[in-house]
Amino acid sequence: MVYQPQVDNNDQCKYAEALIRWHHAEQGMILPNVFIAIAEQSGLSIILGEWVVNEACRQLNQWNLGGYQLERLSINVSQKQFLHKDFVKTIKKALKIHNVKGQQLCIEITEHIIIENIEETLDIIAVLNKMSITISIDDFGTGYSSLTQLKQLPLGQLKIDRKLINTGLCGL
């Protein structure tokens, strides 16, 4: 696991994103889109996702104990993991075991999860929001949802895909 810092205008690190990486002894760095696809195909994605949640919360606890408190750490979650029947239980357990507050966690999902499973997704988001966990949409602009649709969702963050910005469709 590596952690990508996100700094504010004063160069203070307030947020970070947990990113899983695989450095293979012989093949070197294997990109996440390769090994995560393998994990999905082999049925190991839920176990891998649980490890990521626990490792991120463990690290947050270590930083907290060391006197360095991030406001929020983001974790990318796959559709399969987010919609898994034990996902919320996994999050609750990790927060409790590692003594981390919900408001220090951000769950990042793609807009495809929302588009394909709107009712189930809204139910899960509502539970996570009650736990003070922020929900972020990652790679917005790669699917077919609109800002009007997203406005109806209880989201804390929207990360716009580079392709949408580069095409000028964003109006920025």
Side-chain angles (χ1 to χ4, degrees):
M1 187 86 84
V2 297
Y3 299 92
Q4 181 179 34
Q6 298 171 350
V7 296
D8 65 11
N9 293 340
N10 299 318
D11 290 329
Q12 298 294 311
C13 181
K14 303 261 184 183
Y15 310 99
E17 184 172 354
L19 302 167
I20 188 166
R21 297 292 183 255
W22 181 13
H23 185 78
H24 191 277
E26 296 171 4
Q27 297 177 9
M29 190 62 68
I30 299 176
L31 297 174
N33 62 329
V34 173
F35 72 82
I36 290 177
I38 293 169
E40 290 275 342
Q41 293 168 359
S42 66
L44 296 173
S45 62
I46 299 300
I47 294 167
L48 181 62
E50 288 175 1
W51 179 84
V52 168
V53 168
N54 276 290
E55 181 61 21
C57 287
R58 185 200 63 77
Q59 183 61 61
L60 262 174
N61 183 41
Q62 290 299 305
W63 285 329
N64 290 341
L65 292 173
Y68 184 76
Q69 290 195 346
L70 282 180
E71 287 184 28
R72 193 167 48 241
L73 178 63
S74 297
I75 301 171
N76 291 291
V77 176
S78 73
Q79 179 173 356
K80 189 176 248 182
Q81 182 183 6
F82 188 78
L83 297 174
H84 189 269
K85 63 181 177 60
D86 291 331
F87 176 66
V88 172
K89 187 163 59 169
T90 297
I91 297 291
K92 285 180 181 179
K93 184 177 177 182
L95 291 173
K96 184 176 182 178
I97 288 171
H98 300 290
N99 195 30
V100 172
K101 297 174 186 166
Q103 59 260 33
Q104 280 189 281
L105 206 58
C106 176
I107 301 297
E108 289 192 11
I109 58 176
T110 63
E111 68 179 300
H112 295 286
I113 295 172
I114 294 173
I115 293 169
E116 294 176 14
N117 305 283
I118 187 72
E119 289 181 25
E120 191 174 357
T121 300
L122 286 173
D123 291 343
I124 296 168
I125 289 173
V127 173
L128 295 173
N129 279 335
K130 285 181 185 174
M131 297 166 56
S132 300
I133 295 172
T134 300
I135 305 298
S136 174
I137 300 297
D138 195 12
D139 296 331
F140 175 77
T142 58
Y144 298 100
S145 57
S146 68
L147 288 173
T148 305
Q149 288 172 309
L150 292 179
K151 194 173 166 182
Q152 300 168 17
L153 301 173
L155 303 173
Q157 183 180 41
L158 180 66
K159 295 172 81 175
I160 300 171
D161 188 81
R162 177 177 291 134
K163 292 175 194 170
L164 186 62
I165 294 171
N166 289 342
T167 62
L169 295 175
C170 205
L172 299 175

